[in-house]
C-alpha cells in the first residue's frame, strides 16, 4: 500500500479565524500550518505555527513547500506577499481579489459596477479635499482610511461640518500613505451580512442572511436566519454571486450590507471567513469554516441550510464566566485562548433553538445570568 498523503492547509495569520479553520479542517483529514509574527498567536494552540513576518521570504519559502494551498485569516496581509506566494503554491482567494477588498475605494467601485449601490462617498487626500467632500456628501459622515481599517479602526465620525478639524487631526496623517474616503452616514434600518462560498469549480452557495448589531464599529451580536427579510435574501445572494464571479473568487467571503428604505446598500466585503458567520458552526449543516477548507482544497461544498434559529454574542475585551453558558440549553462556548485586552475579540457564544420564540426565551435567561441585558435586548426584540 502506498503511503497516505494528507492535504495541508496553510493559513496566513494566526488569530481566532485560523484557529476555527484548523478545528474545522481536522475532521476532513486536513492538516493546518499557520504563519503569524506573534509566537503566542492563538491558532498556535491547535495547529503548528511558523513565527515569521510577511516579508520573511526565507520562512515563507519553507512554508509554501509544506502546504497544498494557502489562505488567509487576516485580509491585510500585503498583496505583494500574497502574489509572491501565488508563484509557488495555490493561493485562495487569489491575490487580485484580496487586493480589491483591501481598498475601500476599489471595493465600492466594484459594488457599483455589480449593481449594488453604496453610501455616497468621495476620496480625500488633503485637508482641502475634506472640505470639498463634506460639501458634497454632507454631514453626518464618516471619514475612513481606504486601507488597513477593520472593526471600526481607522474611522472618525463627523456629526457636523465643524468636526472637520478633529477628523483631520485623527486621520490626516494617514492620508498620504493610505488615502482616505468620506462616506455619508447612513441612518440604516438594519445591518445584514451574507456569507457566501464559491468552490474552485465555480459552485456557489450562501448561508441564510444574518442580521448584525455593532457597538462602536465592532460586531456585538448576530442573529440568523435574519427575520423578516422578504425579497432581500434573493437579492443579496444574487449580488454576492455576481461579485464572486467578477473576482473569480474561491473560498468564503462576507458581504456587509445596510438596509435603508427597504433597499440594500453595500458597506464592505471581507475576503475571508467572518465574525457574522460564526453561528454556522452549530447553527448550519456545514459551517463557514468547513466550507472554506473544502472550497480552497477543491472538495465538494456542504449544505449551507440553517438548522433552526441561532444568535451569536461576541465577547470583547474579556470573557464572562463560562458557567452560565455551559449550563444553558443548546448554548455553545468559544474561548479563543487569548489574553484579555480592551477592544479585543476574545471569544463568543452561540445559542440555538428550533423556534424563534424558544431562542428569545433562552437569550433572555442567558442575558440575566451574564448581566448582558443591554447587549441582548435588540436581538430579543427582533425575534418577537
Ligand atoms: P466598517 O469597518 O466600515 O464595516 O464599519 C463598522 C461599522 O460602523 C458598520 O458595521 C456600521 O455599524 C458602522 N458604519 C460604518 N460605515 C457607516 C456608514 N456610512 N453609515 C452608518 N454606519 C456606518
Amino acid at each position: 500500500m502506498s503511503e497516505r498523503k494528507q492535504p495541508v492547509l496553510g493559513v496566513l495569520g494566526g488569530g481566532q479565524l485560523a484557529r476555527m479553520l484548523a478545528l474545522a479542517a481536522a475532521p476532513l483529514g486536513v492538516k493546518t500550518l499557520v504563519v503569524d509574527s506573534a509566537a503566542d498567536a492563538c491558532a498556535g494552540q491547535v495547529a503548528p505555527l511558523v513565527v515569521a513576518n510577511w516579508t520573511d521570504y526565507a520562512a515563507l519559502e519553507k512554508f509554501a513547500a509544506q502546504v497544498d494551498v494557502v489562505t488567509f485569516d487576516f485580509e491585510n496581509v500585503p498583496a505583494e506577499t500574497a502574489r509572491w506566494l501565488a508563484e509557488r503554491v495555490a493561493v485562495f482567494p487569489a491575490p487580485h481579489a484580496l487586493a480589491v477588498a483591501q481598498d475601500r475605494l476599489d471595493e465600492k467601485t466594484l459594488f457599483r459596477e455589480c449593481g449594488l449601490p453604496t453610501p455616497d462617498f468621495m476620496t480625500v487626500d488633503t485637508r482641502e479635499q475634506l472640505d470639498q467632500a463634506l460639501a458634497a456628501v454632507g454631514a453626518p459622515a464618516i471619514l475612513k482610511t481606504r486601507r488597513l481599517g477593520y472593526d471600526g479602526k481607522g474611522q472618525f465620525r463627523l456629526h457636523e461640518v465643524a468636526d472637520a478639524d478633529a477628523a483631520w487631526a485623527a486621520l490626516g496623517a494617514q492620508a498620504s500613505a493610505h488615502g482616505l474616503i468620506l462616506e455619508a452616514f447612513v441612518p440604516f434600518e438594519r445591518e445584514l451580512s451574507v456569507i457566501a462560498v464559491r468552490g474552485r469549480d465555480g459552485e456557489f452557495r450562501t448561508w441564510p442572511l444574518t442580521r448584525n448589531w455593532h457597538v462602536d464599529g465592532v460586531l456585538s451580536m448576530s442573529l440568523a436566519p435574519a427575520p423578516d427579510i422578504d425579497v432581500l435574501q434573493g437579492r443579496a445572494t444574487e449580488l454576492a454571486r455576481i461579485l464572486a464571479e467578477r473576482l473569480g473568487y474561491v473560498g468564503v467571503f462576507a458581504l456587509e450590507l445596510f438596509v435603508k428604505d427597504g433597499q440594500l446598500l453595500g458597506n464592505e466585503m471581507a475576503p475571508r471567513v467572518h465574525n457574522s458567520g460564526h453561528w454556522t458552526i452549530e447553527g448550519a449543516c456545514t459551517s463557514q469554516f468547513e466550507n472554506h477548507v473544502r472550497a480552497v482544497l477543491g472538495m465538494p461544498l456542504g449544505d449551507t441550510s440553517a438548522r433552526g434559529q441561532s444568535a451569536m454574542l461576541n465577547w470583547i475585551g474579556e470573557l464572562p464566566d463560562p458557567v452560565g453558558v455551559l449550563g444553558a440549553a443548546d448554548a455553545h462556548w468559544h474561548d479563543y485562548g487569548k489574553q484579555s485586552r480592551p477592544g479585543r475579540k476574545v471569544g463568543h457564544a452561540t445559542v440555538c433553538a428550533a423556534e424563534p420564540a424558544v431562542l428569545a426565551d433562552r437569550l433572555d435567561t442567558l442575558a440575566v445570568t451574564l448581566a448582558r441585558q443591554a447587549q441582548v435586548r435588540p436581538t430579543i426584540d427582533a425575534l418577537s
Side-chain angles (χ1 to χ4, degrees):
M1 273 206 298
S2 62
E3 200 187 322
R4 183 180 173 212
K5 166 93 178 64
Q6 285 178 256
V8 183
L9 173 75
V11 186
L12 301 178
Q16 67 270 17
L17 302 179
R19 180 180 168 110
M20 290 185 271
L21 281 170
L23 292 170
L28 297 170
V30 174
K31 297 182 185 175
T32 302
L33 183 62
V34 176
V35 183
D36 198 291
S37 58
D40 65 349
C42 74
Q45 295 172 19
V46 304
L49 173 71
V50 176
V51 180
N53 64 40
W54 305 132
T55 52
D56 182 348
Y57 290 106
L60 291 172
E61 183 95 61
K62 276 213 295 216
F63 165 76
Q66 291 177 76
V67 301
D68 294 287
V69 64
V70 170
T71 192
F72 307 88
D73 135 296
F74 177 63
E75 72 260 43
N76 291 319
V77 169
E80 187 46 43
T81 301
R83 278 194 289 268
W84 187 89
L85 280 166
E87 287 166 10
R88 289 155 178 83
V89 60
V91 175
F92 295 121
H96 71 271
L98 185 78
V100 169
Q102 282 177 342
D103 186 320
R104 290 186 189 273
L105 175 62
D106 294 348
E107 189 176 66
K108 284 188 163 56
T109 306
L110 175 70
F111 287 176
R112 289 183 170 185
E113 285 169 7
C114 290
L116 173 61
T118 70
D120 288 339
F121 68 87
M122 273 184 77
T123 54
V124 172
D125 294 325
T126 63
R127 177 69 183 77
E128 293 68 40
Q129 284 179 4
L130 176 57
D131 287 338
Q132 289 159 10
L134 264 171
V137 165
I142 308 190
L143 187 64
K144 300 181 177 179
T145 56
R146 271 173 58 180
R147 303 172 60 79
L148 302 177
Y150 66 100
D151 282 348
K153 297 183 177 72
Q155 299 193 6
F156 190 96
R157 271 186 202 199
L158 294 92
H159 300 282
E160 50 188 16
V161 173
D163 293 336
D165 282 336
W168 192 254
L171 296 178
Q174 296 185 54
S176 52
H178 305 309
L180 303 173
I181 194 164
L182 186 80
E183 270 181 39
F185 182 83
V186 180
F188 51 76
E189 289 118 39
R190 280 180 281 171
E191 284 198 86
L192 300 173
S193 56
V194 58
I195 312 292
V197 60
R198 187 166 178 273
R200 282 196 189 194
D201 60 357
E203 186 186 0
F204 177 82
R205 295 183 186 209
T206 56
W207 282 263
L209 274 173
T210 305
R211 180 160 177 192
N212 301 310
W213 288 265
H214 291 78
V215 175
D216 297 330
V218 182
L219 186 66
S220 171
M221 275 204 79
S222 293
L223 175 64
D228 306 322
I229 44 158
D230 301 323
V231 295
L232 296 180
Q233 177 75 56
R235 181 79 187 118
T237 298
E238 183 191 325
L239 287 163
R241 183 199 298 272
I242 294 170
L243 274 170
E245 287 176 358
R246 271 286 290 264
L247 291 170
Y249 196 93
V250 174
V252 166
F253 65 97
L255 179 58
E256 295 184 55
L257 301 159
F258 299 139
V259 183
K260 171 88 193 339
D261 301 328
Q263 301 296 313
L264 296 176
L265 290 176
N267 175 30
E268 66 175 350
M269 174 183 176
R272 53 171 168 72
V273 286
H274 191 253
N275 198 168
S276 68
H278 290 0
W279 66 270
T280 60
I281 297 175
E282 295 88 6
C285 294
T286 313
S287 79
Q288 61 166 347
F289 300 100
E290 177 171 346
N291 260 348
H292 185 69
V293 177
R294 292 186 188 209
V296 298
L297 280 164
M299 299 176 181
L301 302 180
D303 182 355
T304 51
S305 314
R307 294 183 186 280
Q309 190 82 51
S310 301
M312 191 247 14
L313 291 88
N314 252 359
W315 309 138
I316 313 285
E318 59 181 357
L319 296 167
D321 183 346
V323 172
V325 175
L326 295 175
D330 215 347
H332 307 272
W333 178 253
H334 294 262
D335 174 347
Y336 303 152
K338 291 168 144 183
Q339 297 298 322
S340 301
R341 191 190 297 161
R344 195 177 208 198
K345 290 176 177 172
V346 290
H348 75 267
T350 300
V351 189
C352 306
E355 301 292 334
V358 178
L359 181 63
D361 277 351
R362 289 181 177 165
L363 286 173
D364 208 13
T365 308
L366 201 64
V368 173
T369 315
L370 301 175
R372 299 267 169 165
Q373 284 94 334
Q375 184 186 10
V376 174
R377 189 76 253 159
T379 309
I380 294 175
D381 291 346
L383 281 165
S384 57

